[in-house]
Coordinates of all heavy atoms in Angstrom, one line a residue:
M1 N -4.8 -34.9 -2.4 CA -3.7 -34.2 -1.9 C -3.9 -33.7 -0.5 O -5.0 -33.2 -0.2 CB -3.4 -33.0 -2.9 CG -2.1 -32.3 -2.5 SD -1.8 -31.0 -3.7 CE -2.2 -29.6 -2.7
I2 N -2.9 -33.8 0.3 CA -3.1 -33.3 1.7 C -2.4 -31.9 1.8 O -1.3 -31.8 1.5 CB -2.3 -34.3 2.7 CG1 -3.0 -35.7 2.6 CG2 -2.3 -33.8 4.1 CD1 -2.3 -36.8 3.3
L3 N -3.3 -31.0 2.2 CA -2.8 -29.6 2.4 C -1.9 -29.5 3.7 O -0.9 -28.7 3.7 CB -3.9 -28.6 2.4 CG -4.7 -28.4 1.1 CD1 -5.9 -27.5 1.4 CD2 -3.8 -27.9 0.0
A4 N -2.4 -30.1 4.8 CA -1.7 -30.0 6.0 C -1.9 -31.2 6.8 O -2.9 -31.9 6.8 CB -2.2 -28.8 6.8
Q5 N -0.8 -31.6 7.6 CA -0.9 -32.7 8.5 C 0.2 -32.5 9.6 O 1.3 -32.1 9.2 CB -0.8 -34.0 7.8 CG 0.5 -34.3 7.2 CD 0.5 -35.7 6.5 OE1 -0.5 -36.2 6.1 NE2 1.7 -36.3 6.3
K6 N -0.1 -32.9 10.8 CA 0.8 -32.8 11.9 C 1.6 -31.4 11.9 O 1.0 -30.4 12.2 CB 1.7 -34.0 12.0 CG 1.0 -35.3 12.2 CD 1.9 -36.4 12.4 CE 1.1 -37.7 12.5 NZ 1.9 -38.9 12.7
H7 N 2.8 -31.5 11.6 CA 3.7 -30.2 11.6 C 4.1 -29.8 10.3 O 5.1 -29.1 10.1 CB 4.9 -30.5 12.5 CG 4.6 -31.0 13.9 ND1 4.0 -30.2 14.8 CD2 4.7 -32.2 14.5 CE1 3.8 -30.8 15.9 NE2 4.2 -32.1 15.7
N8 N 3.3 -30.1 9.2 CA 3.7 -29.8 7.9 C 2.5 -29.2 7.1 O 1.4 -29.8 7.2 CB 4.3 -31.0 7.2 CG 4.9 -30.7 5.9 OD1 5.4 -29.6 5.7 ND2 5.0 -31.7 5.0
V9 N 2.7 -28.2 6.3 CA 1.7 -27.6 5.5 C 2.3 -27.3 4.2 O 3.5 -26.9 4.1 CB 1.1 -26.3 6.2 CG1 2.1 -25.2 6.3 CG2 -0.1 -25.8 5.4
C10 N 1.5 -27.4 3.1 CA 2.1 -27.2 1.8 C 2.2 -25.7 1.5 O 1.5 -24.9 2.1 CB 1.2 -27.9 0.7 SG -0.4 -27.2 0.5
D11 N 3.1 -25.3 0.6 CA 3.3 -23.9 0.2 C 2.3 -23.6 -0.8 O 1.8 -24.4 -1.6 CB 4.7 -23.8 -0.4 CG 5.8 -23.9 0.6 OD1 5.6 -23.6 1.8 OD2 7.0 -24.2 0.2
F12 N 2.0 -22.3 -0.9 CA 1.2 -21.7 -2.0 C 2.2 -21.0 -2.9 O 3.0 -20.2 -2.4 CB 0.2 -20.7 -1.4 CG -1.0 -21.3 -0.7 CD1 -1.0 -22.6 -0.3 CD2 -2.1 -20.5 -0.5 CE1 -2.1 -23.1 0.4 CE2 -3.3 -21.1 0.1 CZ -3.3 -22.4 0.6
I13 N 2.0 -21.2 -4.2 CA 2.9 -20.5 -5.1 C 2.0 -19.5 -5.9 O 1.1 -19.9 -6.6 CB 3.6 -21.5 -6.1 CG1 4.4 -22.5 -5.3 CG2 4.4 -20.7 -7.1 CD1 5.0 -23.6 -6.1
V14 N 2.4 -18.2 -5.8 CA 1.8 -17.1 -6.5 C 2.9 -16.3 -7.1 O 3.6 -15.6 -6.3 CB 0.9 -16.3 -5.6 CG1 0.2 -15.2 -6.4 CG2 -0.2 -17.1 -4.9
E15 N 3.1 -16.4 -8.4 CA 4.2 -15.7 -9.0 C 4.1 -14.1 -8.9 O 3.0 -13.6 -8.7 CB 4.3 -16.1 -10.5 CG 4.6 -17.5 -10.7 CD 4.3 -18.0 -12.1 OE1 3.1 -18.2 -12.4 OE2 5.3 -18.2 -12.8
E16 N 5.2 -13.5 -8.9 CA 5.3 -12.0 -8.8 C 4.4 -11.3 -9.8 O 3.8 -10.3 -9.6 CB 6.7 -11.5 -8.9 CG 7.6 -12.0 -7.7 CD 7.1 -11.5 -6.4 OE1 6.7 -10.3 -6.3 OE2 7.2 -12.2 -5.4
E17 N 4.3 -11.9 -11.0 CA 3.5 -11.3 -12.1 C 2.0 -11.4 -11.9 O 1.2 -10.8 -12.7 CB 3.9 -12.0 -13.4 CG 5.3 -11.8 -13.8 CD 6.2 -12.9 -13.1 OE1 5.7 -13.9 -12.7 OE2 7.4 -12.6 -13.0
A18 N 1.6 -12.2 -10.9 CA 0.1 -12.4 -10.7 C -0.6 -11.1 -10.4 O 0.0 -10.1 -9.9 CB -0.1 -13.4 -9.5
F19 N -1.9 -11.1 -10.8 CA -2.7 -9.9 -10.4 C -2.8 -9.8 -8.9 O -2.7 -10.7 -8.2 CB -4.1 -10.1 -11.0 CG -4.2 -10.0 -12.5 CD1 -4.6 -11.1 -13.3 CD2 -4.0 -8.8 -13.1 CE1 -4.7 -10.9 -14.6 CE2 -4.1 -8.6 -14.5 CZ -4.4 -9.7 -15.2
E20 N -2.9 -8.5 -8.5 CA -3.0 -8.3 -7.0 C -4.2 -9.0 -6.4 O -4.1 -9.5 -5.2 CB -3.1 -6.8 -6.8 CG -1.8 -6.0 -7.1 CD -0.6 -6.5 -6.3 OE1 -0.8 -6.7 -5.1 OE2 0.4 -6.7 -6.9
G21 N -5.3 -9.2 -7.1 CA -6.4 -9.9 -6.6 C -6.1 -11.4 -6.3 O -6.5 -11.9 -5.3
V22 N -5.3 -12.0 -7.1 CA -4.9 -13.4 -6.9 C -4.0 -13.4 -5.7 O -4.1 -14.3 -4.8 CB -4.1 -13.9 -8.1 CG1 -3.5 -15.3 -7.9 CG2 -5.0 -14.0 -9.4
K23 N -3.1 -12.5 -5.5 CA -2.2 -12.5 -4.3 C -3.0 -12.3 -3.1 O -2.8 -12.9 -2.0 CB -1.2 -11.3 -4.5 CG -0.2 -11.6 -5.6 CD 0.8 -10.4 -5.7 CE 1.7 -10.6 -6.9 NZ 2.6 -9.4 -7.1
R24 N -4.0 -11.4 -3.1 CA -4.8 -11.1 -1.9 C -5.6 -12.3 -1.5 O -5.7 -12.7 -0.4 CB -5.7 -9.9 -2.3 CG -6.5 -9.4 -1.1 CD -7.3 -8.1 -1.4 NE -8.0 -8.0 -2.6 CZ -7.6 -7.4 -3.7 NH1 -6.5 -6.7 -3.7 NH2 -8.3 -7.4 -4.8
I25 N -6.3 -13.0 -2.5 CA -7.1 -14.2 -2.2 C -6.2 -15.3 -1.7 O -6.6 -16.0 -0.8 CB -7.9 -14.6 -3.5 CG1 -8.9 -13.6 -3.8 CG2 -8.5 -16.0 -3.2 CD1 -9.9 -13.3 -2.7
A26 N -5.0 -15.5 -2.2 CA -4.1 -16.5 -1.7 C -3.8 -16.3 -0.3 O -3.7 -17.2 0.5 CB -2.8 -16.5 -2.6
G27 N -3.6 -15.0 0.1 CA -3.3 -14.7 1.5 C -4.5 -15.0 2.4 O -4.4 -15.5 3.5
K28 N -5.7 -14.8 1.9 CA -6.9 -15.1 2.7 C -7.1 -16.6 2.8 O -7.5 -17.1 3.9 CB -8.2 -14.5 2.0 CG -8.2 -13.0 2.1 CD -9.4 -12.4 1.5 CE -9.3 -10.8 1.6 NZ -10.6 -10.2 1.8
V29 N -6.9 -17.3 1.8 CA -7.0 -18.8 1.8 C -5.9 -19.4 2.8 O -6.2 -20.3 3.6 CB -6.9 -19.4 0.4 CG1 -6.9 -21.0 0.5 CG2 -8.1 -19.0 -0.4
A30 N -4.7 -18.8 2.7 CA -3.7 -19.3 3.6 C -4.1 -19.0 5.1 O -3.9 -19.9 6.0 CB -2.3 -18.6 3.3
A31 N -4.7 -17.9 5.4 CA -5.2 -17.6 6.7 C -6.3 -18.5 7.1 O -6.3 -19.0 8.3 CB -5.7 -16.1 6.8
D32 N -7.2 -18.9 6.2 CA -8.2 -19.9 6.5 C -7.6 -21.3 6.8 O -8.1 -21.9 7.8 CB -9.2 -20.0 5.3 CG -10.1 -18.8 5.2 OD1 -10.2 -18.0 6.1 OD2 -10.7 -18.7 4.1
V33 N -6.6 -21.7 6.1 CA -5.9 -23.0 6.4 C -5.4 -22.9 7.8 O -5.5 -23.9 8.5 CB -4.9 -23.3 5.3 CG1 -4.0 -24.5 5.7 CG2 -5.5 -23.5 3.9
E34 N -4.8 -21.8 8.1 CA -4.2 -21.6 9.5 C -5.3 -21.8 10.6 O -5.1 -22.4 11.6 CB -3.5 -20.3 9.6 CG -2.8 -20.2 11.0 CD -2.1 -18.8 11.1 OE1 -2.5 -17.9 10.5 OE2 -1.1 -18.8 11.9
L35 N -6.5 -21.1 10.3 CA -7.5 -21.2 11.3 C -8.0 -22.7 11.5 O -8.3 -23.1 12.6 CB -8.7 -20.4 10.8 CG -8.5 -18.9 10.9 CD1 -9.7 -18.1 10.3 CD2 -8.4 -18.4 12.4
V36 N -8.1 -23.4 10.4 CA -8.6 -24.8 10.5 C -7.5 -25.8 11.0 O -7.8 -26.6 11.8 CB -9.1 -25.3 9.1 CG1 -9.4 -26.7 9.1 CG2 -10.3 -24.4 8.6
C37 N -6.3 -25.6 10.5 CA -5.2 -26.6 10.8 C -4.2 -26.1 11.8 O -3.4 -27.0 12.3 CB -4.5 -26.9 9.5 SG -5.5 -27.6 8.2
G38 N -4.1 -24.8 12.1 CA -3.1 -24.4 13.0 C -1.8 -24.1 12.4 O -0.8 -23.8 13.1
L39 N -1.7 -24.3 11.1 CA -0.4 -24.1 10.3 C -0.7 -23.2 9.2 O -1.7 -23.4 8.5 CB 0.1 -25.4 9.8 CG 0.5 -26.5 10.8 CD1 0.7 -27.8 10.1 CD2 1.7 -26.0 11.6
K40 N 0.1 -22.2 9.0 CA -0.1 -21.2 7.9 C 0.8 -21.5 6.7 O 2.0 -21.5 6.9 CB 0.1 -19.8 8.3 CG -0.4 -18.8 7.2 CD -0.4 -17.4 7.8 CE -0.9 -16.4 6.7 NZ -0.9 -15.0 7.2
P41 N 0.3 -21.8 5.5 CA 1.1 -22.0 4.3 C 1.9 -20.8 4.0 O 1.5 -19.6 4.2 CB 0.1 -22.2 3.2 CG -1.2 -22.6 3.9 CD -1.2 -21.9 5.2
E42 N 3.2 -21.0 3.6 CA 4.0 -19.9 3.1 C 3.6 -19.6 1.7 O 3.4 -20.5 0.9 CB 5.5 -20.3 3.2 CG 6.4 -19.2 2.7 CD 7.9 -19.5 2.8 OE1 8.2 -20.5 3.5 OE2 8.7 -18.9 2.2
I43 N 3.5 -18.3 1.4 CA 3.2 -17.9 0.0 C 4.5 -17.5 -0.6 O 5.1 -16.6 -0.2 CB 2.2 -16.7 0.0 CG1 0.8 -17.2 0.7 CG2 1.9 -16.3 -1.4 CD1 -0.2 -16.1 0.8
R44 N 4.8 -18.2 -1.7 CA 6.1 -18.1 -2.3 C 5.9 -17.5 -3.7 O 4.8 -17.7 -4.4 CB 6.8 -19.4 -2.5 CG 7.2 -20.1 -1.2 CD 7.7 -21.5 -1.6 NE 8.4 -22.1 -0.4 CZ 9.6 -21.9 -0.1 NH1 10.4 -21.2 -0.9 NH2 10.1 -22.5 0.9
G45 N 6.9 -16.8 -4.2 CA 6.8 -16.2 -5.6 C 7.4 -17.2 -6.6 O 7.3 -16.9 -7.8
N46 N 8.0 -18.2 -6.1 CA 8.7 -19.2 -7.0 C 8.5 -20.6 -6.5 O 8.1 -20.8 -5.4 CB 10.1 -18.8 -7.3 CG 10.9 -18.7 -6.0 OD1 10.4 -19.2 -4.9 ND2 12.0 -18.1 -6.0
V47 N 8.9 -21.6 -7.3 CA 8.8 -23.0 -6.9 C 9.9 -23.3 -5.9 O 11.1 -23.0 -6.1 CB 9.0 -23.8 -8.2 CG1 9.0 -25.3 -7.9 CG2 7.9 -23.5 -9.2
P48 N 9.5 -24.0 -4.8 CA 10.5 -24.4 -3.9 C 11.4 -25.6 -4.4 O 10.9 -26.3 -5.3 CB 9.7 -24.9 -2.7 CG 8.4 -25.3 -3.2 CD 8.2 -24.4 -4.4
A49 N 12.6 -25.7 -4.0 CA 13.5 -26.7 -4.5 C 13.0 -28.1 -4.1 O 13.2 -29.1 -4.9 CB 14.9 -26.6 -3.9
Q50 N 12.3 -28.3 -3.0 CA 11.7 -29.6 -2.6 C 10.4 -29.3 -2.0 O 10.2 -28.5 -1.1 CB 12.7 -30.2 -1.6 CG 12.4 -31.6 -1.3 CD 12.8 -32.6 -2.4 OE1 13.6 -32.2 -3.3 NE2 12.2 -33.7 -2.5
A51 N 9.4 -30.1 -2.4 CA 8.0 -30.0 -1.9 C 7.2 -31.3 -2.1 O 7.2 -31.7 -3.3 CB 7.3 -28.8 -2.5
D52 N 6.6 -31.8 -1.1 CA 5.8 -32.9 -1.3 C 4.5 -32.5 -2.1 O 4.1 -33.2 -3.0 CB 5.3 -33.5 0.1 CG 6.4 -34.4 0.7 OD1 7.3 -34.8 0.0 OD2 6.3 -34.5 1.9
A53 N 4.0 -31.4 -1.7 CA 2.8 -30.8 -2.3 C 2.8 -29.3 -2.3 O 3.4 -28.7 -1.4 CB 1.6 -31.4 -1.7
C54 N 2.1 -28.7 -3.2 CA 2.0 -27.2 -3.2 C 0.7 -26.9 -4.0 O 0.1 -27.7 -4.7 CB 3.2 -26.6 -3.9 SG 3.4 -26.9 -5.6
V55 N 0.3 -25.7 -3.7 CA -0.9 -25.1 -4.4 C -0.4 -24.0 -5.3 O 0.3 -23.1 -4.8 CB -2.0 -24.6 -3.4 CG1 -3.1 -23.9 -4.2 CG2 -2.5 -25.7 -2.5
I56 N -0.7 -24.0 -6.6 CA -0.3 -23.0 -7.5 C -1.6 -22.2 -7.9 O -2.5 -22.8 -8.4 CB 0.3 -23.5 -8.8 CG1 1.5 -24.4 -8.4 CG2 0.7 -22.4 -9.7 CD1 2.1 -25.2 -9.5
A57 N -1.6 -20.9 -7.6 CA -2.7 -20.0 -8.0 C -2.2 -19.1 -9.1 O -1.2 -18.4 -8.8 CB -3.2 -19.2 -6.8
A58 N -2.9 -19.1 -10.2 CA -2.3 -18.3 -11.3 C -3.4 -17.9 -12.3 O -4.5 -18.4 -12.3 CB -1.3 -19.1 -12.1
T59 N -3.1 -16.9 -13.2 CA -3.9 -16.5 -14.2 C -3.3 -16.8 -15.5 O -2.1 -16.5 -15.7 CB -4.2 -14.9 -14.1 OG1 -4.7 -14.6 -12.8 CG2 -5.1 -14.4 -15.2
L60 N -4.0 -17.4 -16.4 CA -3.5 -17.8 -17.8 C -3.0 -16.5 -18.5 O -3.7 -15.5 -18.5 CB -4.5 -18.4 -18.6 CG -4.1 -19.0 -19.9 CD1 -3.0 -20.1 -19.7 CD2 -5.3 -19.6 -20.7
G61 N -1.8 -16.6 -19.0 CA -1.2 -15.4 -19.7 C -0.3 -14.6 -18.7 O 0.4 -13.7 -19.2
K62 N -0.4 -14.8 -17.4 CA 0.4 -14.1 -16.5 C 1.3 -15.1 -15.6 O 1.9 -14.7 -14.6 CB -0.4 -13.3 -15.5 CG -1.2 -12.2 -16.3 CD -1.5 -11.0 -15.5 CE -0.5 -10.3 -14.7 NZ 0.1 -9.1 -15.2
S63 N 1.4 -16.3 -16.1 CA 2.1 -17.3 -15.3 C 3.0 -18.2 -16.2 O 2.5 -19.0 -16.9 CB 1.1 -18.2 -14.6 OG 1.8 -19.3 -14.0
S64 N 4.3 -17.9 -16.1 CA 5.2 -18.7 -16.9 C 5.2 -20.2 -16.4 O 5.4 -21.1 -17.2 CB 6.6 -18.1 -16.8 OG 7.1 -18.0 -15.5
L65 N 5.0 -20.4 -15.1 CA 4.9 -21.7 -14.5 C 3.8 -22.5 -15.1 O 4.0 -23.6 -15.6 CB 4.8 -21.6 -13.0 CG 4.7 -22.9 -12.3 CD1 5.9 -23.8 -12.5 CD2 4.6 -22.7 -10.8
C66 N 2.6 -21.9 -15.2 CA 1.4 -22.6 -15.8 C 1.6 -22.8 -17.3 O 1.2 -23.8 -17.9 CB 0.1 -21.9 -15.5 SG -0.4 -22.2 -13.7
E67 N 2.2 -21.8 -18.0 CA 2.5 -22.0 -19.4 C 3.4 -23.2 -19.6 O 3.2 -23.9 -20.6 CB 3.0 -20.7 -20.0 CG 2.0 -19.6 -20.1 CD 2.5 -18.3 -20.5 OE1 3.7 -18.2 -21.0 OE2 1.8 -17.3 -20.3
A68 N 4.4 -23.4 -18.8 CA 5.3 -24.5 -18.9 C 4.6 -25.8 -18.6 O 4.8 -26.8 -19.4 CB 6.5 -24.3 -17.9
L69 N 3.7 -25.8 -17.6 CA 3.0 -27.1 -17.3 C 2.1 -27.4 -18.5 O 1.9 -28.6 -18.8 CB 2.2 -26.9 -16.0 CG 3.0 -26.8 -14.7 CD1 2.0 -26.5 -13.6 CD2 3.7 -28.2 -14.5
A70 N 1.5 -26.4 -19.1 CA 0.6 -26.6 -20.3 C 1.4 -27.1 -21.5 O 1.0 -28.1 -22.2 CB -0.2 -25.3 -20.7
A71 N 2.6 -26.5 -21.7 CA 3.4 -27.0 -22.8 C 3.9 -28.4 -22.7 O 4.0 -29.1 -23.6 CB 4.6 -26.0 -22.9
E72 N 4.1 -28.8 -21.4 CA 4.5 -30.2 -21.1 C 3.3 -31.2 -21.1 O 3.4 -32.4 -20.9 CB 5.2 -30.3 -19.8 CG 6.5 -29.5 -19.8 CD 7.1 -29.4 -18.4 OE1 6.6 -30.1 -17.4 OE2 8.0 -28.6 -18.2
G73 N 2.1 -30.7 -21.3 CA 0.9 -31.5 -21.3 C 0.4 -31.9 -19.9 O -0.4 -32.8 -19.8
K74 N 0.9 -31.2 -18.9 CA 0.5 -31.6 -17.5 C -0.8 -30.9 -17.1 O -1.5 -31.4 -16.2 CB 1.6 -31.2 -16.6 CG 2.8 -32.1 -16.8 CD 3.9 -31.9 -15.8 CE 5.1 -32.8 -16.1 NZ 6.2 -32.6 -15.1
I75 N -1.2 -29.8 -17.7 CA -2.5 -29.2 -17.5 C -3.1 -28.8 -18.8 O -2.5 -28.5 -19.8 CB -2.4 -27.9 -16.6 CG1 -1.5 -26.8 -17.2 CG2 -1.9 -28.3 -15.2 CD1 -1.6 -25.5 -16.5
D76 N -4.5 -28.8 -18.8 CA -5.2 -28.4 -20.0 C -5.8 -27.0 -19.7 O -6.6 -26.9 -18.7 CB -6.3 -29.5 -20.2 CG -7.2 -29.1 -21.4 OD1 -6.9 -28.2 -22.1 OD2 -8.2 -29.9 -21.6
V77 N -5.5 -26.1 -20.5 CA -6.0 -24.7 -20.3 C -7.2 -24.3 -21.1 O -7.7 -23.2 -21.0 CB -4.8 -23.7 -20.6 CG1 -3.6 -24.0 -19.6 CG2 -4.4 -23.7 -22.0
T78 N -7.7 -25.2 -21.9 CA -8.8 -24.9 -22.8 C -10.1 -24.5 -22.0 O -10.9 -23.7 -22.6 CB -9.2 -26.1 -23.7 OG1 -9.5 -27.2 -22.9 CG2 -8.0 -26.4 -24.6
A79 N -10.3 -24.9 -20.8 CA -11.5 -24.5 -20.0 C -11.5 -23.0 -19.7 O -12.5 -22.4 -19.4 CB -11.6 -25.3 -18.7
V80 N -10.3 -22.4 -19.6 CA -10.2 -21.0 -19.3 C -9.7 -20.1 -20.4 O -9.8 -18.9 -20.3 CB -9.3 -20.8 -18.0 CG1 -9.9 -21.5 -16.8 CG2 -7.9 -21.3 -18.2
E81 N -9.1 -20.7 -21.4 CA -8.4 -19.9 -22.5 C -9.5 -19.0 -23.2 O -10.5 -19.5 -23.6 CB -7.8 -20.9 -23.4 CG -6.8 -20.2 -24.4 CD -6.0 -21.3 -25.1 OE1 -6.6 -22.4 -25.4 OE2 -4.8 -21.1 -25.3
G82 N -9.2 -17.7 -23.2 CA -10.1 -16.8 -23.9 C -11.4 -16.5 -23.2 O -12.2 -15.8 -23.8
K83 N -11.5 -16.9 -22.0 CA -12.7 -16.6 -21.2 C -12.4 -15.8 -20.0 O -11.3 -15.7 -19.5 CB -13.3 -18.0 -20.8 CG -13.7 -18.9 -21.9 CD -14.1 -20.2 -21.5 CE -14.4 -21.1 -22.7 NZ -14.4 -22.5 -22.4
R84 N -13.5 -15.2 -19.5 CA -13.4 -14.3 -18.3 C -14.2 -14.9 -17.2 O -15.2 -15.6 -17.4 CB -13.8 -12.9 -18.6 CG -13.0 -12.2 -19.6 CD -13.4 -10.8 -19.9 NE -13.5 -10.0 -18.8 CZ -12.5 -9.2 -18.2 NH1 -11.4 -9.3 -18.8 NH2 -12.8 -8.5 -17.2
E85 N -13.9 -14.7 -16.0 CA -14.6 -15.1 -14.8 C -14.8 -16.6 -14.7 O -15.9 -17.1 -14.3 CB -16.0 -14.4 -14.7 CG -15.9 -12.9 -14.7 CD -15.1 -12.3 -13.6 OE1 -15.2 -12.8 -12.5 OE2 -14.4 -11.3 -13.7
V86 N -13.8 -17.4 -15.2 CA -13.9 -18.8 -15.1 C -12.5 -19.3 -14.5 O -11.5 -18.6 -14.5 CB -14.1 -19.5 -16.4 CG1 -15.4 -19.2 -17.0 CG2 -13.0 -19.2 -17.4
Y87 N -12.5 -20.5 -14.0 CA -11.3 -21.1 -13.4 C -11.3 -22.6 -13.6 O -12.4 -23.2 -13.8 CB -11.0 -20.7 -12.0 CG -12.0 -21.3 -11.0 CD1 -11.6 -22.5 -10.3 CD2 -13.2 -20.8 -10.7 CE1 -12.4 -23.1 -9.4 CE2 -14.1 -21.4 -9.8 CZ -13.7 -22.5 -9.2 OH -14.5 -23.1 -8.3
S88 N -10.2 -23.2 -13.4 CA -10.1 -24.7 -13.4 C -9.2 -25.1 -12.3 O -8.4 -24.3 -11.8 CB -9.5 -25.2 -14.7 OG -8.1 -24.8 -14.9
R89 N -9.5 -26.3 -11.8 CA -8.6 -27.0 -10.8 C -8.1 -28.3 -11.3 O -8.9 -29.1 -11.9 CB -9.5 -27.3 -9.5 CG -10.2 -26.1 -8.9 CD -11.1 -26.6 -7.8 NE -12.0 -27.7 -8.1 CZ -13.2 -27.6 -8.6 NH1 -13.7 -26.4 -8.9 NH2 -13.9 -28.6 -8.9
T90 N -6.8 -28.4 -11.2 CA -6.2 -29.7 -11.7 C -5.2 -30.2 -10.7 O -4.3 -29.4 -10.2 CB -5.5 -29.4 -13.1 OG1 -6.4 -28.8 -14.0 CG2 -5.0 -30.7 -13.7
L91 N -5.2 -31.4 -10.4 CA -4.2 -32.0 -9.5 C -3.2 -32.6 -10.5 O -3.5 -33.5 -11.3 CB -4.8 -33.1 -8.7 CG -4.0 -33.7 -7.6 CD1 -3.5 -32.6 -6.6 CD2 -4.7 -34.8 -6.8
V92 N -1.9 -32.2 -10.3 CA -0.8 -32.6 -11.2 C 0.2 -33.4 -10.4 O 0.8 -32.9 -9.4 CB -0.2 -31.4 -11.8 CG1 1.0 -31.8 -12.8 CG2 -1.2 -30.5 -12.6
A93 N 0.5 -34.6 -10.9 CA 1.6 -35.4 -10.3 C 2.9 -35.0 -10.9 O 3.0 -34.7 -12.1 CB 1.3 -36.9 -10.7
N94 N 3.9 -34.9 -10.1 CA 5.3 -34.5 -10.5 C 5.3 -33.3 -11.4 O 5.7 -33.3 -12.5 CB 5.9 -35.7 -11.2 CG 6.0 -36.9 -10.4 OD1 6.4 -36.9 -9.2 ND2 5.4 -38.0 -10.9
P95 N 4.7 -32.1 -10.9 CA 4.6 -30.9 -11.8 C 6.0 -30.3 -12.2 O 6.1 -29.8 -13.3 CB 3.8 -30.0 -10.9 CG 4.2 -30.4 -9.5 CD 4.3 -31.9 -9.6
F96 N 7.0 -30.5 -11.3 CA 8.3 -30.0 -11.6 C 9.3 -30.7 -10.7 O 8.9 -31.4 -9.8 CB 8.4 -28.5 -11.4 CG 7.6 -28.0 -10.2 CD1 8.2 -28.0 -9.0 CD2 6.4 -27.4 -10.4 CE1 7.5 -27.6 -7.9 CE2 5.7 -27.0 -9.3 CZ 6.2 -27.0 -8.0
P97 N 10.6 -30.7 -11.1 CA 11.6 -31.4 -10.3 C 11.5 -31.0 -8.8 O 11.4 -29.8 -8.4 CB 12.9 -31.0 -10.9 CG 12.6 -30.6 -12.3 CD 11.2 -30.0 -12.2
G98 N 11.4 -32.0 -7.9 CA 11.4 -31.8 -6.5 C 10.0 -31.8 -5.9 O 9.9 -31.7 -4.7
A99 N 9.0 -31.8 -6.7 CA 7.6 -31.7 -6.2 C 6.9 -33.0 -6.6 O 6.9 -33.4 -7.7 CB 6.9 -30.5 -6.8
K100 N 6.2 -33.6 -5.6 CA 5.4 -34.8 -5.9 C 4.1 -34.5 -6.5 O 3.6 -35.2 -7.4 CB 5.2 -35.6 -4.6 CG 6.6 -36.1 -4.1 CD 6.4 -36.9 -2.8 CE 7.7 -37.4 -2.3 NZ 7.5 -38.1 -1.0
E101 N 3.4 -33.4 -6.1 CA 2.1 -33.1 -6.6 C 1.8 -31.6 -6.4 O 2.3 -31.0 -5.5 CB 1.0 -34.0 -6.1 CG 0.7 -33.9 -4.6 CD -0.3 -35.0 -4.2 OE1 -1.1 -35.4 -5.0 OE2 -0.4 -35.2 -3.0
A102 N 0.9 -31.1 -7.2 CA 0.5 -29.7 -7.1 C -1.0 -29.6 -7.4 O -1.5 -30.3 -8.4 CB 1.3 -28.8 -8.0
L103 N -1.7 -28.8 -6.7 CA -3.1 -28.4 -7.0 C -2.9 -27.1 -7.8 O -2.5 -26.1 -7.2 CB -3.9 -28.2 -5.8 CG -5.3 -27.7 -6.1 CD1 -6.1 -28.6 -7.0 CD2 -6.1 -27.5 -4.7
V104 N -3.3 -27.1 -9.1 CA -3.2 -25.9 -9.9 C -4.6 -25.3 -10.0 O -5.5 -25.9 -10.5 CB -2.6 -26.2 -11.3 CG1 -2.5 -24.9 -12.1 CG2 -1.2 -26.9 -11.2
I105 N -4.7 -24.0 -9.5 CA -5.9 -23.3 -9.7 C -5.7 -22.2 -10.7 O -4.9 -21.3 -10.4 CB -6.4 -22.7 -8.3 CG1 -6.6 -23.9 -7.3 CG2 -7.7 -22.0 -8.5 CD1 -6.7 -23.4 -5.9
L106 N -6.3 -22.3 -11.8 CA -6.0 -21.4 -13.0 C -7.2 -20.7 -13.4 O -8.2 -21.3 -13.7 CB -5.4 -22.2 -14.1 CG -4.9 -21.5 -15.3 CD1 -3.8 -20.6 -15.0 CD2 -4.5 -22.5 -16.4
G107 N -7.1 -19.4 -13.5 CA -8.2 -18.6 -14.0 C -7.8 -17.8 -15.2 O -6.7 -17.8 -15.7

């Protein structure tokens, strides 16, 4: 998945229900992407209508988006379910209408 190229950078999706720590880290990672690529990802609270790619940062049990992806069989949550201080990374093709791929970071 390409995070940034030329004049385009993917959005970061962090739902409003996310823990403050997740929101804070998403902001720091977006700032790092800007330092490296010269483009800063927009941090959105919801899914954009159209996106080639996006990064979803979420916590299991606090993300309706990730729960929907799990229910559809697009992500496997067993690596983090019932555990603390763990996370998974999954690249998902066609995660939702209008998006070609998403990197899902789930803790």
Side-chain angles (χ1 to χ4, degrees):
M1 185 175 105
I2 298 171
L3 291 177
Q5 66 182 23
K6 296 185 183 181
H7 304 291
N8 191 25
V9 65
C10 70
D11 291 333
F12 285 17
I13 301 171
V14 181
E15 294 165 284
E16 293 298 320
E17 300 81 21
F19 287 114
E20 289 303 314
V22 173
K23 293 176 184 178
R24 188 172 45 255
I25 294 301
K28 289 181 181 213
V29 172
D32 286 347
V33 170
E34 182 180 28
L35 287 172
V36 172
C37 302
L39 300 168
K40 187 171 184 179
E42 182 176 342
I43 299 176
R44 299 174 166 269
N46 55 16
V47 176
Q50 192 73 22
D52 284 337
C54 62
V55 175
I56 301 169
T59 303
L60 189 62
K62 295 206 48 101
S63 171
S64 58
L65 179 56
C66 286
E67 289 174 14
L69 290 172
E72 294 171 13
K74 294 183 177 184
I75 61 172
D76 180 5
V77 299
T78 57
V80 297
E81 197 168 37
K83 299 174 184 162
R84 298 179 55 86
E85 304 300 325
V86 297
Y87 71 96
S88 67
R89 302 174 312 269
T90 307
L91 190 59
V92 180
N94 304 306
F96 39 82
K100 293 180 183 175
E101 61 185 342
L103 174 61
V104 179
I105 304 169
L106 182 64

